[in-house]
């Protein structure tokens, strides 16, 4: 690529630390840009995304071919946002100069770990015994496949309750991503399932075999196959040498398998840049390992360059003072002291309340008070450790007619009608996809599990050629639709079908599916709108495989998935778990239930590494606030499990994270209910009201 000589300083808007990170390295003699391993510790609100985008843009402007840049993120949205920023920076920097043209696709190798793995595995499929047309199972389909195997092994008919399919999948996933034996995983994380170790091992063996037979991979397989691919030196060198620079966003969220993949691609660390914040590592339940970022510098000789971003552009200094104090008391961390030019703002508040009801009342009154002062509801957020912690508050919000959105819940692709439509395309893409086949077949009248099994076995005997299904004896109830159904499958699987016009397949599937949608489901208007949205989304993808895979790996959310009825108000309050709030920010933040048992969670007790993750979780919650922060601690909690016995409750203990030094950075107050106000009225002792007589006269 040609190096651009420009007069515009494309790094001029960065502060000194950000600029140092963006331009770290040197121009190479033969063109391009080289650098050793770089770790950027980006504190909360310090411009991490902007810094990483400027580094990528600086590489391109310095002559690095965009095709030779691998940018790995954890969400599709982060990848798209990064690409847009890079394009904008390069476009402005090269204005009036010879063009450094980014490809039409932007950064060709920018994407999530799983999407990049999918692309590489299809390229090297034959080397790994895979069919290049393999299907990717989403979490729901993977759990369903496990469930089928559970039934076949008769594990659902045991005298004692066997773990459910979602629990089995979680255990399997944790073993894969931590590379720890099943016995150790059960002992440390799923002790209530330890008695089933032998049965689970057998289940997982058959689950792996079933996926291999049907040429399907789940999320974990994508990383696992990639790691096995680059474990072979020949393939590691071929893939690694294809990229001059590998950049990783949110490195603190990587697991052991991902770290090994990165190390295999760039064993000497040259061209490797990772960005993250150890203080925001909160996803160990997904097997993320904070040790990856803590130990990164020592992986290479000489050690990696470490640059720390400390200037915060989000919060006021009083909020940062409290957050700095909290994280400084952790056992292991990179030293950093966040600072802000915004010295205004009140100290965060540590508010003790009587109970959950008082907590809800305090939050609602504070939110309404903020609104009267000009702060919109959507500029305020209520965060909590567990989703059920907002139950009392939600009742109060409904009672006060305050609209809100709660993050979490059903995702767009988990809606039954959406899964139905996609399953038709998935089966056409991979005739061996048993999960998709069963879902599609059972849409037909009279086609229950037994007939669906019989049909799939017939297809298997016919070498998975859809045209053979015409001769299958469908149940009488499905006979009228059977020929049209077979014609649809043949059309979708036809190798001559114009790949450039593949979106017309979705229209054909919708026409076939419409009468079944009307027969099976209610609420047609909403469901049809979802399918129309799906058809519109399909236009963004060049092939059917890319559409199905990217949609599985990066599912969109639908507005209808938000908590409660459709919003009639353009303004609404945000409710969110802390995990879902990561990466977000609001003017005012309220954190519920800041007491031991919640922060830290009772499930972290006795495990120092888990206690430290809980500290980081509270840190993430606090650093979401731009201007106002309130930590709320109820003095007692009602016990709802008891069916009899009056006011059952337990007393809350102060969170062990709320040390005296941390409390010294905050304003402490008690928000109680109004006292009995009878004393403010003048009592007339001479006035008598015969209420009893009036009540008798009513009847």
């Amino acid at each position: 690529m040609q190096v651009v000589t420009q007069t515009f300083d494309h790094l001029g808007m960065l502060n000194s630390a950000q600029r140092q990170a963006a331009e770290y390295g040197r121009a190479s003699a033969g063109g391009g840009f080289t650098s050793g391993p770089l770790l950027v510790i980006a504190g909360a609100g310090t411009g991490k995304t902007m810094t990483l985008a400027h580094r990528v843009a600086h590489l391109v402007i310095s002559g690095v071919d965009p095709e030779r840049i691998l940018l790995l993120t954890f969400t599709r949205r982060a990848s798209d946002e990064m690409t847009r920023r890079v394009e904008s920076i390069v476009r402005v920097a090269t204005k009036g100069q010879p063009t450094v043209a980014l490809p039409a696709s932007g950064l060709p190798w920018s994407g999530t770990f799983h999407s990049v793995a999918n692309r590489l595995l299809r390229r090297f499929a034959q080397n790994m015994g895979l069919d290049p047309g393999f299907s990717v199972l989403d979490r729901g389909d993977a759990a369903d496949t496990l469930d089928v195997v559970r039934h076949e092994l008769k594990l659902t008919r045991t005298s004692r309750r066997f773990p459910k399919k979602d629990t089995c999948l979680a255990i399997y996933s944790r073993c894969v991503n931590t590379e720890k034996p099943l016995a150790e995983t059960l002992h440390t994380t799923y002790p209530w399932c330890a008695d089933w170790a032998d049965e689970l091992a057998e289940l997982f063996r058959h689950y792996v075999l079933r996926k291999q037979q049907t040429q399907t991979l789940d999320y974990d397989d994508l990383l696992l196959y990639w790691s096995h691919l680059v474990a072979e030196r020949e393939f590691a060198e071929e893939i690694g040498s294809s990229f001059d620079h590998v950049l990783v966003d949110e490195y603190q969220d990587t697991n052991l398998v991902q770290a090994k993949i990165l190390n295999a691609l760039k064993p000497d660390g040259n061209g490797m840049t990772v960005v993250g914040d150890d203080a925001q590592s909160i996803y160990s339940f997904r097997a993320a390992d904070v040790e990856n970022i803590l130990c990164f510098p020592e992986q290479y000789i000489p050690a990696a360059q470490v640059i720390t971003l400390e200037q915060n552009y989000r919060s006021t200094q009083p909020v940062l003072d409290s957050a700095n104090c909290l994280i400084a008391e952790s056992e292991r961390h990179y030293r950093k002291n966040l600072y802000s030019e915004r010295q205004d703002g009140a100290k965060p508040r540590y508010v003790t309340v009587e109970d959950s009801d008082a907590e809800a009342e305090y939050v609602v009154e504070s939110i309404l008070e903020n609104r009267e002062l000009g702060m919109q509801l959507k500029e305020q957020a209520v965060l909590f450790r567990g989703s059920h912690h907002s139950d009392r508050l939600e009742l109060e919000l409904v009672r006060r007619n305050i609209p809100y959105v709660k993050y979490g819940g059903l995702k767009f692709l988990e809606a039954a009608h959406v899964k139905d439509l996609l399953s038709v395309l998935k089966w056409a893409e991979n005739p061996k996809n048993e999960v998709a086949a069963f879902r599609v077949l059972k849409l037909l009248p009279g086609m229950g599990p037994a007939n669906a099994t019989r049909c799939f076995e017939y297809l298997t005997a016919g070498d998975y050629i859809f045209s053979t299904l015409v001769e299958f004896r469908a149940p009488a109830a499905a006979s009228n639709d059977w020929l049209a159904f077979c014609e649809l499958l043949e059309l979708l699987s036809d190798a001559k079908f114009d790949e450039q016009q593949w979106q017309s397949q979705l229209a054909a599937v919708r026409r076939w599916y419409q009468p079944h949608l009307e027969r099976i489901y209610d609420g047609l208007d909403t469901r049809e709108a979802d399918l129309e949205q799906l058809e519109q989304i399909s236009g963004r993808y060049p092939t059917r495989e890319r559409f199905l895979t990217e949609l599985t790996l990066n599912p969109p959310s639908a507005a209808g998935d938000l908590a409660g009825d459709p919003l009639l108000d353009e303004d609404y309050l945000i409710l969110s778990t802390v995990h879902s709030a990561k990466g977000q920010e609001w003017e005012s933040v309220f954190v519920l239930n800041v007491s031991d048992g919640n922060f830290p969670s009772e499930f972290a007790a006795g495990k120092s590494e888990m206690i430290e993750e809980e500290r980081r979780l509270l840190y993430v919650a606090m650093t979401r606030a731009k201007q106002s922060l309130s930590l709320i601690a109820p003095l007692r909690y009602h016990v709802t499990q008891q069916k009899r016995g009056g006011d059952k409750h337990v007393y809350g203990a102060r969170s062990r994270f709320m040390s005296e030094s941390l409390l010294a950075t905050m304003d402490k107050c008690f928000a109680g209910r109004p006292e009995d106000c009878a004393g403010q009225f003048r009592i007339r002792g001479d006035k008598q009201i015969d209420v009893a007589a009036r009540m008798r006269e009513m009847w």
Side-chain angles (χ1 to χ4, degrees):
M1 284 194 64
Q2 181 179 7
V3 181
V4 173
T5 303
Q6 84 282 342
T7 57
F8 176 77
D9 184 4
H10 59 283
L11 304 179
M13 65 183 300
L14 304 181
N15 64 39
S16 59
Q18 291 172 334
R19 184 171 190 129
Q20 183 186 359
E23 61 186 7
Y24 174 71
R26 64 187 182 279
S28 55
F33 194 86
T34 61
S35 71
L38 171 64
L39 167 62
V40 181
I41 298 296
T46 57
K48 169 183 66 67
T49 302
M50 182 171 68
T51 303
L52 186 55
H54 276 80
R55 176 159 181 79
V56 176
H58 184 67
L59 294 176
V60 174
I61 292 169
S62 299
V64 178
D65 185 348
E67 293 270 2
R68 298 184 63 80
I69 296 175
L70 175 60
L71 175 59
L72 295 167
T73 65
F74 276 85
T75 66
R76 174 66 179 270
R77 185 171 67 175
S79 174
D80 291 345
E81 171 66 16
M82 200 77 69
T83 301
R84 283 193 297 269
R85 291 198 185 198
V86 171
E87 289 175 333
S88 176
I89 297 165
V90 172
R91 185 170 59 251
V92 172
T94 60
K95 186 175 182 181
Q97 300 291 333
T99 303
V100 175
L102 286 175
S105 57
L107 295 170
W109 286 96
S110 171
T112 65
F113 274 92
H114 292 89
S115 65
V116 170
N118 170 69
R119 292 175 63 185
L120 289 173
L121 294 184
R122 293 188 191 278
R123 289 193 179 189
F124 292 91
Q126 294 182 348
N127 299 100
M128 308 187 73
L130 283 173
D131 184 334
F134 65 80
S135 299
V136 178
L137 301 175
D138 61 24
R139 290 293 184 191
D141 289 342
D144 288 342
T145 302
L146 258 175
D147 207 30
V148 170
V149 178
R150 283 170 74 232
H151 283 284
E152 290 177 352
L153 296 177
K154 296 182 171 53
L155 293 174
T156 55
R157 301 178 184 177
T158 54
S159 58
R160 293 181 297 114
R161 185 171 62 90
F162 191 77
K164 293 184 177 180
K165 61 180 182 180
D166 291 324
T167 302
C168 293
L169 183 61
I171 296 171
Y172 172 84
S173 180
R174 192 166 189 86
C175 288
V176 168
N177 288 298
T178 61
E179 297 189 344
K180 292 182 179 178
L182 174 60
E184 182 179 344
T185 300
L186 293 176
H187 175 73
T188 58
T189 313
Y190 300 92
W192 61 92
C193 301
D195 291 345
W196 296 105
D198 293 340
E199 291 83 355
L200 285 168
E202 183 182 13
L203 172 64
F204 296 155
R205 282 193 296 272
H206 283 79
Y207 172 59
V208 170
L209 180 60
R210 177 60 59 89
K211 287 185 295 180
Q212 292 172 352
Q213 291 171 341
T214 58
Q215 286 295 304
T216 54
L217 274 65
D218 61 27
Y219 286 175
D220 301 316
D221 290 333
L222 291 171
L223 297 181
L224 196 59
Y225 272 74
W226 189 6
S227 70
H228 283 299
L229 179 64
V230 295
E232 300 296 324
R233 184 174 179 179
E234 176 185 352
F235 294 113
E237 290 179 350
E238 181 176 351
I239 298 172
S241 63
S242 299
F243 302 108
D244 296 327
H245 291 269
V246 177
L247 303 98
V248 186
D249 190 21
E250 304 284 9
Y251 187 69
Q252 78 280 350
D253 293 336
T254 55
N255 59 38
L256 184 60
V257 176
Q258 290 163 324
K260 285 188 172 182
I261 290 170
L262 294 170
N263 189 255
L265 294 179
K266 295 293 179 184
D268 57 4
N270 288 331
M272 177 71 73
T273 298
V274 301
V275 182
D277 183 8
D278 57 300
Q280 297 186 69
S281 178
I282 58 174
Y283 292 116
S284 68
F285 64 92
R286 296 180 187 167
D289 192 343
V290 70
E291 292 298 316
N292 288 345
I293 193 169
L294 290 175
C295 299
F296 181 84
E298 288 73 40
Q299 291 182 18
Y300 306 103
I301 300 175
Q305 173 75 27
V306 179
I307 299 174
T308 304
L309 308 183
E310 296 180 299
Q311 184 172 357
N312 180 283
Y313 295 91
R314 174 188 299 156
S315 307
T316 61
Q317 192 60 49
V319 170
L320 297 179
D321 289 340
S322 295
N324 287 335
C325 183
L326 171 69
I327 206 65
E329 296 176 352
S330 62
E331 293 180 353
R332 291 182 65 209
H333 64 282
Y334 287 101
R335 293 177 62 88
K336 55 184 170 294
N337 188 54
L338 300 183
Y339 67 92
S340 172
E341 294 182 353
R342 296 182 57 190
Q343 299 295 320
D344 60 325
K347 288 183 176 181
R349 305 185 79 196
Y350 178 69
V351 185
T352 53
V353 294
E354 183 179 343
D355 54 21
S356 298
D357 291 333
E359 181 178 53
E361 291 173 14
Y362 169 76
V363 170
V364 170
E365 292 296 335
S366 299
I367 287 167
L368 293 177
E369 182 179 338
N370 288 342
R371 188 170 181 268
E372 289 300 313
L373 295 174
M375 188 184 297
Q376 295 185 72
L377 292 177
K378 64 176 63 174
E379 294 177 328
Q380 306 179 65
V382 182
L383 308 182
F384 30 84
R385 177 66 180 82
S387 182
H388 64 283
H389 289 174
S390 66
D391 290 349
R392 298 285 182 108
L393 174 61
E394 290 181 58
L395 292 174
E396 185 67 11
L397 291 172
V398 171
R399 189 178 74 83
R400 301 281 196 104
N401 197 29
I402 299 174
Y404 69 92
V405 168
K406 184 175 181 180
Y407 283 89
L410 187 67
K411 298 297 185 294
F412 180 59
L413 294 189
E414 294 171 2
H417 54 289
V418 175
K419 288 182 73 74
D420 290 345
L421 198 72
L422 291 177
S423 292
V424 180
L425 294 175
K426 288 180 178 180
W427 193 16
E429 186 71 19
N430 176 9
K432 296 180 181 179
N433 190 331
E434 188 177 12
V435 173
F438 271 60
R439 186 174 192 99
V440 174
L441 288 169
K442 288 191 289 186
L443 292 174
L444 298 168
M447 189 69 80
N451 280 321
T453 300
R454 190 167 58 88
C455 181
F456 192 75
E457 290 174 348
Y458 190 90
L459 179 67
T460 303
D463 200 24
Y464 299 100
I465 299 174
F466 284 120
S467 59
T468 62
L469 289 180
V470 175
E471 304 299 326
F472 174 73
R473 289 187 58 188
S479 58
N480 291 335
D481 192 44
W482 189 251
L483 182 59
F485 175 63
C486 293
E487 290 176 349
L488 174 68
L489 290 177
E490 284 189 65
L491 171 69
L492 298 178
S493 62
D494 190 348
K496 298 179 182 179
F497 201 101
D498 186 357
E499 194 67 67
Q500 298 302 315
Q501 302 296 324
W502 79 266
Q503 288 86 356
S504 62
Q505 297 180 24
L506 202 54
V509 175
R510 281 193 67 185
R511 286 194 297 273
W512 171 82
Y513 179 60
Q514 185 65 30
H516 301 290
L517 176 72
E518 296 173 357
R519 175 174 54 84
I520 299 171
Y521 302 110
D522 54 11
L524 289 180
D525 290 344
T526 300
R527 297 180 191 275
E528 287 175 345
D530 283 344
L531 298 183
E532 184 175 339
Q533 179 186 358
L534 194 66
E535 197 166 346
Q536 292 173 354
I537 291 173
S538 70
R540 306 174 190 170
Y541 299 91
T543 67
R544 183 174 67 189
E545 178 275 315
R546 287 285 297 276
F547 170 68
L548 293 173
T549 304
E550 292 292 334
L551 215 59
T552 300
L553 297 178
N554 303 284
S557 297
D561 298 333
L562 303 175
D565 296 326
L567 297 171
L568 302 179
D569 196 313
E570 63 180 9
D571 194 18
Y572 47 84
L573 179 68
I574 305 297
L575 307 186
S576 176
T577 62
V578 181
H579 285 101
S580 296
K582 187 171 177 289
Q584 306 298 315
E585 59 183 39
W586 296 274
E587 291 292 333
S588 181
V589 169
F590 302 85
V591 186
L592 303 184
N593 295 329
V594 183
S595 57
D596 251 37
N598 297 309
F599 286 102
S601 166
E602 59 185 320
F603 300 110
K607 303 175 184 177
S608 60
E609 68 278 7
M610 292 304 299
I611 294 293
E612 287 307 308
E613 177 161 331
E614 294 290 312
R615 180 190 300 277
R616 297 192 293 268
L617 193 65
L618 181 57
Y619 174 82
V620 167
M622 293 170 65
T623 53
R624 300 311 95 196
K626 298 166 69 175
Q627 177 180 319
S628 170
L629 172 65
S630 296
L631 307 185
I632 309 167
L635 295 176
R636 63 177 182 172
Y637 294 87
H638 295 283
V639 180
T640 58
Q641 288 90 340
Q642 301 294 330
K643 294 184 179 180
R644 301 189 301 269
D647 181 24
K648 297 287 185 180
H649 63 269
V650 295
Y651 286 96
R654 190 174 85 181
S655 170
R656 68 193 71 182
F657 300 145
M658 302 306 299
S659 63
E660 292 301 327
S661 57
L662 177 55
L663 289 172
T665 68
M666 311 181 78
D667 286 333
K668 299 177 287 295
C669 66
F670 175 78
R673 292 192 180 88
E675 299 295 332
D676 181 10
C677 56
Q680 64 182 287
F681 299 106
R682 183 171 61 86
I683 306 300
R684 294 184 57 180
D686 58 340
K687 180 72 173 181
Q688 297 292 317
I689 305 175
D690 193 350
V691 178
R694 295 180 184 180
M695 293 181 66
R696 290 194 299 271
E697 290 172 0
M698 290 174 62
W699 311 101

